[in-house]
Amino acid sequence: MSVLIQNGALVLPEGPVRADLRMDGGRIVQIGPDLPAGDSQVVDAAGKLVFPGFIDTHTHFEMNKGLPNETADDWRTGSMAALAGGTTTVLDFAEPQRGCSLRSALETWHKRADGVASCHYGFHMTIKDWDSRIQAELKDMTAAGVTSYKVYMAYDNLRLSDGVIYEVLKATAAEGAVVGCHCENGDLVTAGIAAQRAAGNLGVEAHPLSRPPLVEAEAVGRYLAIAELAGAPVNIVHLSTRRGLEAVRAARARGQKLYVETCPQYLLLDDSLYGLPDFEGAKYVFSPPARSRDDRAALWEGVAAGEIDTMGTDHCSFDFHGVKELGRDDFAKIPNGLPGVEHRPALMYHFGVGQGRMTVSDLARLLAENPAKLFGMWPQKGCLAVGSDADVVLFDPARTWTITAKEQVQAVDYTPYEGMTLTGRPEAVFLSGRLAARDGKVLLEGQGQFVRRGKSQFWR
Ligand code: DUC
Ligand code: ZN
Ligand code: ZN
């Protein structure tokens, strides 16, 4: 059945344009003024914005499976939460077991998501080990539609040495793939945690002190130096500091090709939260940590200046009760992560567009177009164009509502944005041309499809 969205303001790169949009067979088939209804089902979008389906390029669903610190959201609930909030595609991080092949991780992630996910999905592949066998698998990954990778400079169970990162970047660049990096200096994090413990600081307040801004900025600068040596365009995930952004600026001024992600938590939260009583600050223990107000202001400046390319969530949800509480006696044992996949589009509309920091087209660029281009999905996704997938969000810019854990779809017992009253909310979410969520509730479950991605289309 074809669907005609009438009278909406279509959010295009050049600005909102009043036009109708018809979807059929999972694709956008017609865009123009005053399209005839014919036998299409008509949706009145007067007063509403029509966005391309939002893409979250950074989720961790079903992480630490089977362990005491397993994430609260699995593929079923995580993808439902995404869809409910207007995110029609997520890119999640597949992670091989130590010493295992990339293919084994890909199979595991497919088993978890296929037939279960309610939004469309793809995978970045985490590189934890590196040898000639894994290098030989890169071509298989490309053929399987996995065209981006992740490396870590921190976390003892994940991090790679600089030399290995250099080898990974040379090999992946030859494959046309882009590598995102968690930029924190792992040795300095270890030393920072030890110093806090030695001083008897075991509470939540010690978390940001153990990994201060320079721990990120040094790693950003080092990653960019390694990338320059390797001749590889790279992505920096979850940038959180002014100093990190300065390192990015300096590299770009030298002509380096690089991309930057930040996340809502670094724009909206700050480190005063770690002082909350009753262990409440544990809800905000993620890494890199929430930063100072000055860092937050710098990131907003980066958004306004077009220096930030994408905005993922790093959705990695741990229940407060029983899971975050594993670190009651020692901040370093608090599982790192926070939920966010459900609320990113509305948060960024309210605090970005609503507060005059960006236009609706900027929002579409950060949350849909750039993610699609950087991760090989454009123009299949990320834009409202004839021939593109009919992943479309009807957004009510006037709707005022309040975020609460009680009403969220995310299967986690809190939200870091509890009680925030926002203006603007996704009203209807179309997945492949079918109404899949309305007013924050999922109507169609398990209809997400794996997105076989092509190579990155670099635009800068
Ligand atoms: N940081 C987090 O807080 N959680 C998941 C992984 C990461 O890098
Ligand atoms: Zn990370
Ligand atoms: Zn992450």
Side-chain angles (χ1 to χ4, degrees):
M1 168 77 163
S2 69
V3 176
L4 178 66
I5 300 178
Q6 271 184 339
N7 303 318
L10 271 47
V11 179
L12 303 180
E14 61 271 26
V17 172
R18 199 53 196 282
D20 300 342
L21 179 149
R22 196 186 317 271
M23 308 180 275
D24 197 11
R27 298 273 163 83
I28 297 171
V29 293
Q30 213 178 2
I31 290 177
D34 305 318
L35 298 182
D39 58 4
S40 298
Q41 181 191 335
V42 173
V43 176
D44 180 24
K48 309 282 159 55
L49 295 162
V50 182
F51 282 101
F54 297 113
I55 299 171
D56 189 337
T57 54
H58 195 146
T59 66
H60 300 272
F61 295 156
E62 228 162 302
M63 202 177 92
N64 302 336
K65 197 167 167 69
L67 301 175
N69 60 344
E70 182 168 347
T71 52
D73 282 300
D74 58 13
W75 270 93
R76 192 183 73 81
T77 62
S79 65
M80 285 172 68
L83 189 69
T87 293
T88 49
T89 303
V90 299
L91 297 181
D92 196 83
F93 291 90
E95 196 186 308
Q97 302 276 356
R98 178 66 74 209
C100 292
S101 65
L102 306 183
R103 178 144 298 284
S104 66
L106 184 59
E107 276 168 19
T108 301
W109 256 252
H110 269 300
K111 261 192 212 131
R112 293 177 186 176
D114 293 355
V116 172
S118 291
C119 65
H120 299 318
Y121 56 97
F123 309 127
H124 308 284
M125 183 56 64
T126 305
I127 307 268
K128 280 165 82 168
D129 300 289
W130 186 247
D131 56 29
S132 56
R133 270 179 325 136
I134 289 182
Q135 183 169 348
E137 284 192 277
L138 298 182
K139 286 209 182 312
D140 303 338
M141 292 298 112
T142 307
V146 173
T147 54
S148 53
Y149 294 87
K150 171 86 173 281
V151 293
Y152 288 82
M153 287 179 144
Y155 296 123
D156 288 342
N157 58 335
L158 289 166
R159 63 196 264 208
L160 300 178
S161 71
D162 295 346
V164 170
I165 290 176
Y166 172 70
E167 295 297 338
V168 169
L169 290 183
K170 273 200 311 187
T172 50
E175 197 54 35
V178 70
V179 182
C181 183
H182 177 116
C183 294
E184 284 188 298
N185 180 316
D187 284 346
L188 292 182
V189 171
T190 303
I193 291 172
Q196 293 302 319
R197 282 175 170 160
N201 299 335
L202 296 175
V204 180
E205 310 79 16
H207 173 66
L209 302 177
S210 70
R211 39 213 319 155
L214 269 177
V215 166
E216 173 178 273
E218 184 280 330
V220 168
R222 183 159 39 97
Y223 184 55
L224 292 177
I226 298 169
E228 189 180 344
L229 266 180
V234 289
N235 186 30
I236 291 167
V237 301
H238 53 47
L239 188 80
S240 68
T241 58
R242 179 183 289 279
R243 290 288 294 265
L245 184 58
E246 284 169 1
V248 163
R249 274 185 196 136
R252 280 187 175 144
R254 289 190 295 268
Q256 193 167 348
K257 203 182 192 56
L258 70 107
Y259 300 86
V260 180
E261 172 201 72
T262 192
C263 311
Q265 55 269 32
Y266 302 115
L267 294 165
L268 304 179
L269 308 176
D270 68 64
D271 53 9
S272 64
L273 293 160
Y274 298 114
L276 288 174
D278 302 325
F279 198 58
E280 280 282 302
K283 293 178 177 174
Y284 308 93
V285 169
F286 44 83
S287 292
R291 302 295 190 181
S292 68
R293 285 164 183 243
D294 177 66
D295 287 303
R296 212 167 65 170
L299 292 174
W300 275 118
E301 284 162 24
V303 169
E307 294 170 312
I308 304 288
D309 300 294
T310 62
M311 208 177 285
T313 56
D314 206 0
H315 180 97
C316 185
S317 58
F318 297 107
D319 277 332
F320 177 74
H321 295 288
V323 184
K324 288 282 188 183
E325 283 180 332
L326 293 168
R328 267 221 184 254
D329 301 324
D330 180 353
F331 72 95
K333 295 188 178 146
I334 301 169
N336 276 215
L338 84 173
V341 73
E342 185 169 346
H343 299 128
R344 177 191 62 140
L347 284 167
M348 285 302 111
Y349 182 86
H350 177 90
F351 289 101
V353 177
Q355 299 195 351
R357 292 167 161 133
M358 63 170 88
T359 66
V360 286
S361 296
D362 292 335
L363 185 74
R365 192 166 37 75
L366 281 164
L367 271 58
E369 180 184 332
N370 286 354
K373 286 181 173 165
L374 185 56
F375 295 112
M377 296 181 280
W378 193 85
Q380 181 192 348
K381 298 198 184 290
C383 55
L384 298 177
V386 171
S388 294
D389 289 355
D391 302 330
V392 174
V393 176
L394 206 67
F395 193 94
D396 183 350
R399 172 85 177 271
T400 294
W401 63 295
T402 301
I403 296 180
T404 65
K406 215 167 118 253
E407 286 177 276
Q408 71 187 0
V409 176
Q410 297 169 159
V412 56
D413 64 1
Y414 79 99
T415 159
Y417 308 109
E418 182 75 33
M420 283 190 183
T421 295
L422 308 181
T423 300
R425 183 176 189 170
E427 180 179 288
V429 184
F430 294 88
L431 190 79
S432 301
R434 297 164 75 194
L435 180 63
R438 175 174 275 284
D439 295 328
K441 302 275 177 286
V442 173
L443 305 175
L444 268 187
E445 283 188 40
Q447 298 300 308
Q449 296 289 321
F450 176 66
V451 186
R452 225 168 236 284
R453 295 183 288 122
K455 293 188 178 176
S456 299
Q457 295 132 64
F458 301 120
W459 65 94
R460 63 150 116 215

